[in-house]
C-alpha cells in the first residue's frame, strides 16, 4: 500500500514519542524553532538589504563626486578662458591704441569683467602701473618674476601667479605681454582675481556642509579651498587624495588637511597649471542611510522580540498542555494501577436518559477486579451491563435517586450501611459516589474492620482498661438515664460511692500487679451482686460507683444489696500465695432526696463515703445534712491552711530521743504545729491529711526541713552538745525526686553538718518504688545524712529487704510499744525487731514509750534508744536546751520533765 509521504512521517510520531526522541516534534519545541528560523530570516534579509543599500549609497556618492568634479572642471576652464580672452582684448586694444587706451572705455563697452571680482591693470615697460580698474591696488611690478619673464621672453601665453599682498587674502593674477609697434616689449596686462571666486560655485545642497571644493597649484598648495561656508587658502593639499582623484578612484579617503573621510575627485586643467579637487563627506552621504538603517534595526529587534515572546508564550502553553496530557496519562495509568491494587471496588457508570432527558438507569463502563468479584462475574461480563440488571429492584430504586442527585448537583455523596447481600462477606460497607462527565464513579469499601476498631476504641474510651467496667465518661450518662427513668415512673435511684480500705498499703507493699489483681477480682464480685439494669463504674484507683435504678427509698432489699456487696468485697483473696483481706467504705445518695442531678448526687455520695471512713471504715453511710457540714468544715480547714502558708503560722516543737544505756539526750524529732488564729494550736494529725489533699504538703515538708536545720545549728552555736535532729519526710517530697536538692540547700543555708541531720522515711513509702528509694537514699547517704525507718512493723517489708537500704536506725511503731509488756504478740514482735536489727548492724528506737514497765522491757531486750512522753513530750526549742544542759542520768528525774 502506498501511503502518502506526510502520513508515513506522522505515523512514526507515536513510536518516536515512546523512545523519547519524539519530543523534538512536540509543539513546545517547534514554536521556538520556528521563531528562531523566522528571526534568522528577518536578520539575514535585513543585513542583506542594508549591505545592498550601503553599496548603493557608496556608488551614488562616488558617482556624484565624479559628476561634481566634471562640472567644476568645465566651469573652471570656462572662467579661465574668459580671463584669457580679456587679456587678449586688452593686448589688442593696447597695441592698437597705445598708451591712449582707456580701461574705462573697455569697461563701458562690456569688454572687461566685473570690477567687483576682477582687477584689470596695464603696466608700462618700466613696471609702473599706468592704468588700473582698482586704483592704488598695484603701483610698480618691475621686480616681479612674471614681469621679468614677459620682458625677457616674447611669449603670447598667459602666466598666472599667486601673490599674497595682504594677510589672509589670496589673489590669482593672469598676465600677457604687451608689444610696441615694432614688436618690442611695451609692458604687460594683468587681470587679478580673488581666489575665492573660483570656489564660489560651492552648493551645500550638493556637496553638503563637510564637502570640499578647491584649486591646487603646481606646488600642491590650495589657492582656494571651500568647505561649507568656510573659505581658506595656503593649505597644503593631500597629494594622495589628489592622485587618487586624478585616477578616478571611487573609494572614500581620509583627507589629511582636516581628517574627514570623503569621496574625492581631482581634475588637471587643460592648458593651465592648476588642479581642481571636489570631495563629498562620507558621513553626510550615509546620514540618511544610517537613519534608515537604525529604523530597520529597531524594527527587526522589536519584531524578533515579539516573535520570541509569542513563541515563548505558545511554547509555554504547549508545554503546559503536554504536561497536562502527560499527567493525565500518568493519572490514568495510576488510576488503573491503583484501582486494581486497592482493596476497594471501583465502578465507573454513565447515565442513561429517556426521551425527556430524565436519568432512568446507569450502565457500567469499567470496573476493577475487586468490583467484579462482588457480583461474581468477570470484568468483561460486567462491561455495558445496566445497574438495574445487577441489583434487586428495591436496592436499585434507592441507589438510582442517590446517583441521579450526585449527577445533578455535583456534590459527592458518602454512605455507610450494613450489608444484606449474601454474596458479599463484608458486614459493613461504605460507598462514595462522585460525579464525572456524564456519569458517576462509585467506590465501595469493606469497613468491617474499621467499624469493629471504632467499637473497640469507643469501648476503651468509655470503659476501664483494667476491670472492663464503665469508666467516668459513662458515669454521668448512666446516672442521667436512671434519673429519667425515676422521674417517668415516680421511683427513686441510688448512687453508691465505694472506696477500698487500705488498698494503698496493699499496692505499695505487694506491688501494682497484686493491686491490679485485687481490683479486677473486686470488680467481678460487685458485678455478681447487682442486677443487669444496675451499673458498676470504676472512677479510678480504688474508687467505684454503683448506680442502682428503680429503687423505693430505703428498704430492707436495699440494705440487703449493700450488705451483700460489702461482704463480697471483704472475702479473702489469694494473690501469689498470699491471703489478702480488704474492706470497703460506702457512701449512699438517693434521688430525689439527696440531689436532683448527677453532680450533686456524686458529691453527696462521696461525702457519705468519707463519713464511713471517719467512722472506722468497713461500713456504709447514707448521706445526711450533718455530713455536708463536715465537708464544709474540711474545705474550711484547707482554706485556713492556705492562709497559714501565706502568713507563716507554723512552728516546730521537738521531742527528745534518749539513749537507754547512758540515759542522755542524743537527738530530737522535729514536730510541726499550726498556730491558728481562730482555733489555737492545732497538732499535725488534725491537718496533715487536709494539707495533702490541698497540695500543700510539699511546701510544709520543705519548711520543716529548713527550720529544723536552722534550729539545730543555732543550738550548736549556743554551745550545746551536738544533737541529731530528725525530720519526717512526706511521700510527695520523696516521689518528686526533689529531696536531695532540698536537703543540700537546707544544709548549705543553715551551715549544719550533714551528720547531724536524720531523715525519717516510713516503711510503706520506701516499698512503693524500691529502685527509686535505693537511688535517692544512696545519694543522701553519700552526702553524710543519716536515714532511718519510721513506724517499722506497720508495713509488709521484712528485715532482709532492709539490708539493701543505707539506713542506720529502725523506729518500732508505737502500736507495738503500746501493748507492752502485757501483750505477748507485741512482745514477740518487739524482741524480733530488736534482735534482727542488731544482727544487721542497725540501732533500734522505740517510740511512744509512756510507762516504766515499757522502759524495763526495752532495756532487758537491749533496745538502743527511746522516745515518748514517759520522759518528755514535744516542747519548744528553749526547753530542749534546758534539758540537754541538765543531762541528769536518772530515770526519775527525767520523768519530772514529763509534760
Amino acid at each position: 500500500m502506498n501511503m502518502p509521504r506526510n502520513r508515513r512521517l506522522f505515523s512514526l510520531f507515536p513510536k518516536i514519542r515512546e523512545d523519547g526522541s519524539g519530543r523534538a516534534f512536540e509543539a513546545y519545541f517547534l514554536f521556538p524553532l520556528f521563531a528562531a528560523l523566522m528571526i534568522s530570516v528577518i536578520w539575514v534579509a535585513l543585513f542583506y538589504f542594508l549591505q545592498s543599500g550601503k553599496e548603493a549609497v557608496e556608488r551614488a556618492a562616488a558617482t556624484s563626486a565624479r559628476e561634481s568634479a566634471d562640472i567644476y572642471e568645465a566651469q573652471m576652464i570656462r572662467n579661465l578662458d574668459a580671463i584669457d580672452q580679456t587679456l587678449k582684448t586688452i593686448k589688442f586694444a593696447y597695441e592698437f591704441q597705445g598708451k591712449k587706451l582707456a580701461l574705462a572705455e573697455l569697461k563701458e563697452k562690456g569688454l572687461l569683467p566685473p570690477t567687483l571680482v576682477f582687477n584689470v591693470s596695464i603696466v608700462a615697460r618700466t613696471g609702473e602701473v599706468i592704468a588700473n580698474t582698482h586704483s592704488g591696488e598695484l603701483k610698480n611690478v618691475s621686480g616681479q618674476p612674471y614681469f621679468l619673464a614677459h620682458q625677457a621672453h616674447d611669449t603670447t601665453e598667459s602666466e598666472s601667479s599667486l601673490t599674497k599682498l595682504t594677510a589672509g587674502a589670496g589673489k590669482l593674477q593672469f598676465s600677457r605681454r604687451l608689444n610696441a609697434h615694432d614688436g618690442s616689449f611695451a609692458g604687460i596686462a594683468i587681470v587679478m582675481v580673488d581666489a575665492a571666486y573660483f570656489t564660489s560655485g560651492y552648493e551645500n545642497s550638493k556637496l553638503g556642509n563637510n564637502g570640499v571644493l578647491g584649486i591646487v597649484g603646481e606646488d600642491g598648495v590650495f589657492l582656494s579651498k571651500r568647505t561649507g561656508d568656510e573659505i581658506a587658502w595656503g593649505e597644503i593639499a593631500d597629494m594622495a587624495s589628489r592622485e587618487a582623484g586624478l585616477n578616478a578612484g571611487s573609494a572614500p579617503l581620509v583627507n589629511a588637511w582636516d581628517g574627514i573621510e570623503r569621496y574625492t575627485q581631482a581634475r588637471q586643467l587643460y592648458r593651465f597649471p592648476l588642479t581642481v579637487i571636489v570631495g563629498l563627506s562620507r558621513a553626510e552621504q550615509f546620514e540618511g542611510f544610517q537613519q534608515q538603517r537604525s529604523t530597520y534595526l529597531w524594527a527587526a529587534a522589536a519584531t524578533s522580540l515579539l516573535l520570541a515572546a509569542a513563541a515563548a508564550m505558545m511554547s509555554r502553553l504547549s508545554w503546559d498542555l503536554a504536561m497536562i496530557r502527560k499527567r493525565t496519562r500518568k493519572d490514568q495509568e495510576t488510576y488503573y494501577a491503583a484501582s486494581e491494587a486497592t482493596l476497594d471496588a471501583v465502578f465507573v457508570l454513565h447515565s442513561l436518559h429517556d426521551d425527556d432527558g430524565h436519568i432512568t438507569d446507569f450502565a457500567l463502563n469499567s470496573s476493577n477486579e475487586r468490583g467484579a468479584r462482588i457480583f461474581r462475574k468477570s470484568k468483561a461480563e460486567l462491561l455495558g451491563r445496566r445497574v438495574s440488571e445487577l441489583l434487586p429492584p428495591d436496592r436499585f430504586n434507592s441507589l438510582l435517586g442517590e446517583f441521579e442527585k450526585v449527577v445533578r448537583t455535583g456534590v459527592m455523596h458518602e454512605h455507610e450501611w450494613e450489608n444484606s447481600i449474601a454474596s458479599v462477606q463484608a458486614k459493613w460497607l461504605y460507598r462514595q459516589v462522585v460525579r464525572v462527565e456524564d456519569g458517576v464513579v462509585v467506590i465501595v469499601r469493606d469497613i468491617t474492620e474499621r467499624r469493629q476498631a471504632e467499637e473497640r476504641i469507643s469501648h476503651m474510651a468509655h470503659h476501664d482498661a483494667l476491670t472492663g467496667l464503665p469508666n467516668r465518661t459513662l458515669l454521668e450518662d448512666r446516672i442521667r438515664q436512671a434519673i429519667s427513668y425515676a422521674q417517668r415512673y415516680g421511683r427513686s435511684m441510688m448512687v453508691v460511692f465505694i472506696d477500698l480500705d487500705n488498698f494503698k498499703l496493699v499496692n505499695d507493699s505487694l506491688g501494682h500487679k497484686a493491686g491490679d489483681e485485687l481490683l479486677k477480682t473486686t470488680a467481678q464480685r460487685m458485678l455478681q451482686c447487682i442486677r443487669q439494669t444496675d451499673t458498676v463504674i470504676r472512677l479510678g484507683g480504688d474508687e467505684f460507683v454503683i448506680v442502682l435504678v428503680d429503687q423505693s427509698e430505703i428498704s430492707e432489699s436495699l440494705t440487703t444489696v449493700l450488705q451483700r456487696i460489702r461482704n463480697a468485697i471483704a472475702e479473702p483473696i489469694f494473690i501469689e500465695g498470699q491471703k489478702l483481706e480488704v474492706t470497703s467504705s460506702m457512701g449512699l445518695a438517693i434521688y430525689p432526696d439527696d440531689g436532683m442531678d448527677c453532680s450533686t448526687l456524686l458529691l453527696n455520695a462521696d461525702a457519705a463515703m468519707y463519713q464511713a471512713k471517719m467512722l472506722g471504715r468497713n461500713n456504709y453511710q447514707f448521706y445526711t445534712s450533718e455530713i455536708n457540714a463536715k465537708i464544709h468544715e474540711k474545705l474550711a480547714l484547707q482554706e485556713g491552711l492556705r492562709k497559714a502558708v501565706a502568713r507563716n503560722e507554723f512552728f516546730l516543737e521537738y521531742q527528745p530521743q534518749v539513749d537507754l544505756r547512758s540515759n542522755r539526750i542524743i537527738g530530737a524529732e522535729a514536730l510541726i504545729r499550726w498556730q491558728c488564729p481562730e482555733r489555737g494550736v492545732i497538732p499535725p494529725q488534725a491537718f496533715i491529711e487536709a494539707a495533702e489533699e490541698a497540695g500543700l504538703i510539699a511546701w510544709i515538708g520543705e519548711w520543716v526541713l529548713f527550720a529544723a536545720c536552722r534550729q539545730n545549728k543555732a543550738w550548736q552555736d549556743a554551745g550545746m552538745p551536738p544533737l541529731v535532729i530528725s525530720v519526717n519526710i512526706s511521700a510527695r517530697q520523696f516521689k518528686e525526686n526533689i529531696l536531695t536538692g532540698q536537703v543540700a540547700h537546707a544544709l548549705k543555708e543553715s551551715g549544719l553538718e550533714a551528720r547531724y541531720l536524720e531523715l525519717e522515711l516510713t516503711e510503706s513509702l520506701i516499698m512503693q518504688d524500691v529502685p527509686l528509694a535505693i537511688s535517692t537514699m544512696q545519694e543522701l547517704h553519700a552526702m553524710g545524712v543519716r536515714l532511718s525507718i519510721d513506724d517499722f512493723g506497720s508495713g509488709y517489708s521484712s528485715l532482709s529487704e532492709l539490708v539493701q537500704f543505707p539506713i542506720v536506725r529502725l523506729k518500732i511503731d508505737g502500736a507495738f510499744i503500746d501493748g507492752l509488756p502485757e501483750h505477748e504478740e507485741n512482745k514477740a514482735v518487739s524482741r524480733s525487731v530488736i534482735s534482727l536489727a542488731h544482727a544487721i548492724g542497725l540501732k533500734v528506737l522505740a517510740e511512744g514509750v509512756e510507762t516504766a514497765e515499757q522502759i524495763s522491757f526495752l532495756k532487758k531486750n537491749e533496745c538502743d534508744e527511746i522516745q515518748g512522753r514517759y520522759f518528755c513530750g514535744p516542747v519548744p526549742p528553749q526547753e530542749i536546751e534546758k534539758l540537754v544542759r541538765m543531762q541528769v542520768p536518772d530515770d526519775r528525774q527525767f520523768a519530772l520533765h514529763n509534760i
Side-chain angles (χ1 to χ4, degrees), residues 24 34-35 41 68 194 253 261 266 431 456 514 535 645 655 715 741 781 788 797 803 896 899:
F34 177 75
V41 170
S68 297
D194 193 333
L253 298 172
E261 186 178 13
R431 69 171 173 269
R456 288 195 299 271
T535 304
V645 169
Q655 188 171 28
W715 283 334
H781 179 70
S788 64
S797 62
V803 176
L896 293 176
I899 53 175

Side-chain angles (χ1 to χ4, degrees), residues 297-606:
L297 288 175
W298 278 110
T303 303
S304 299
L305 288 175
L306 288 175
L307 279 173
M313 181 178 67
M314 296 301 294
S315 178
R316 177 63 185 181
L317 292 175
S318 176
W319 171 266
D320 291 341
L321 291 174
M323 291 301 101
I324 291 173
R325 291 195 301 270
K326 182 178 179 181
R327 286 194 296 268
T328 301
R329 288 195 298 270
K330 287 187 176 181
D331 290 344
Q332 290 173 347
E333 294 170 359
T334 304
Y335 163 74
Y336 288 121
S339 65
E340 292 302 330
T342 183
L343 297 178
D344 299 339
V346 181
F347 304 96
V348 179
L349 310 176
H350 75 270
S351 56
L352 302 177
H353 303 261
D354 58 16
D355 295 337
D356 296 328
H358 300 126
I359 296 177
T360 58
D361 205 341
F362 286 84
L364 189 62
N365 278 355
S366 67
S367 169
N368 62 354
E369 288 294 338
R370 192 168 184 84
R373 285 200 299 270
I374 286 182
F375 293 100
R376 296 185 178 182
K377 297 179 182 295
S378 66
K379 292 172 62 176
E381 291 174 327
L382 281 179
L383 294 182
R385 297 286 297 274
R386 296 191 175 200
V387 177
S388 59
E389 300 173 358
L390 299 172
L391 296 176
D394 57 340
R395 187 67 177 157
F396 167 72
N397 291 332
S398 63
L399 289 178
L400 179 62
E402 177 183 320
F403 293 173
E404 188 275 335
K405 182 178 180 181
V406 172
V407 172
R408 178 168 43 83
T409 64
V411 178
M412 180 189 68
H413 180 75
E414 295 178 294
H415 182 65
E416 294 180 4
W417 79 99
E418 191 171 2
N419 175 46
S420 60
I421 302 176
S423 61
V424 180
Q425 296 180 352
K427 181 180 179 181
W428 284 94
L429 293 172
Y430 158 86
R431 69 171 173 269
Q432 183 183 70
V433 185
V434 182
R435 184 178 71 178
V436 293
E437 185 177 358
D438 195 28
V440 294
V441 172
V442 181
I443 301 173
V444 180
R445 183 178 305 154
D446 181 0
I447 60 170
T448 303
E449 291 185 2
R450 195 201 77 190
R451 289 295 293 258
Q452 291 173 348
E454 289 176 352
E455 291 173 359
R456 288 195 299 271
I457 293 172
S458 177
H459 184 273
M460 292 171 60
H462 296 88
H463 291 78
D464 177 51
L466 178 64
T467 63
L469 298 175
N471 59 16
R472 187 185 297 270
T473 308
L474 275 181
L475 175 60
E476 185 173 350
D477 179 68
R478 297 298 170 86
I479 294 178
R480 190 183 300 110
Q481 290 181 19
I483 291 175
S484 297
Y485 183 87
Q487 289 175 341
R488 185 179 301 112
Y489 297 102
R491 305 284 288 177
S492 298
M493 56 83 60
M494 182 178 297
V495 175
V496 184
F497 207 109
I498 302 175
D499 185 87
L500 302 185
D501 300 329
N502 297 319
F503 171 76
K504 186 173 182 297
L505 185 61
V506 175
N507 208 27
D508 293 344
S509 58
L510 299 181
H512 293 289
K513 184 177 180 180
D516 291 346
E517 289 298 324
L518 175 61
L519 290 173
K520 288 191 287 186
T521 301
T522 301
Q524 292 303 314
R525 290 178 178 180
M526 286 190 287
L527 285 173
Q528 295 171 1
C529 297
I530 63 172
R531 301 165 298 176
Q532 290 186 350
T533 55
D534 300 328
T535 304
V536 179
I537 295 170
R538 184 188 177 204
L539 287 184
D542 58 348
E543 294 181 336
F544 297 86
V545 172
I546 297 178
V547 180
L548 301 175
V549 301
D550 195 18
Q551 298 295 318
S552 56
E553 302 296 339
I554 301 175
S555 61
E556 183 177 350
S557 61
L558 175 60
T559 57
T560 300
V561 172
L562 296 176
Q563 190 60 44
R564 186 166 62 245
I565 294 172
R566 193 164 68 88
N567 293 339
I569 294 174
E571 290 181 7
I573 301 174
F574 292 90
I575 298 176
E576 296 181 354
Q578 295 194 41
K579 178 182 177 181
L580 298 179
E581 294 182 3
V582 294
T583 58
S584 61
S585 299
M586 294 188 277
L588 296 89
I590 301 174
Y591 170 86
D593 298 339
D594 301 328
M596 298 295 292
D597 55 64
C598 176
S599 59
T600 304
L601 289 171
L602 280 173
L603 181 64
N604 292 338
D606 187 24

Side-chain angles (χ1 to χ4, degrees), residues 163-171 194-195 231-233:
T163 303
K164 295 181 180 180
L165 299 178
T166 58
K171 302 291 183 179
D194 193 333
I231 302 173
W233 54 85

Side-chain angles (χ1 to χ4, degrees), residues 190-254:
I190 299 174
V191 175
M192 185 179 296
V193 184
D194 193 333
Y197 167 74
F198 295 101
T199 58
S200 60
Y202 188 100
E203 296 182 21
N204 291 64
S205 59
K206 292 183 178 180
L207 301 179
N209 293 324
N210 290 313
V212 66
L213 185 64
I215 306 174
V216 180
E218 289 182 327
D219 56 358
V221 175
F222 275 110
L223 300 177
S224 177
K225 178 178 71 69
R226 179 169 179 173
T227 298
D229 295 330
E230 182 182 351
I231 302 173
W233 54 85
E235 295 181 359
I236 298 175
D238 181 9
M239 297 308 295
S241 299
R242 178 183 177 188
E243 293 300 326
L246 290 173
N247 294 326
S250 60
L253 298 172
V254 177

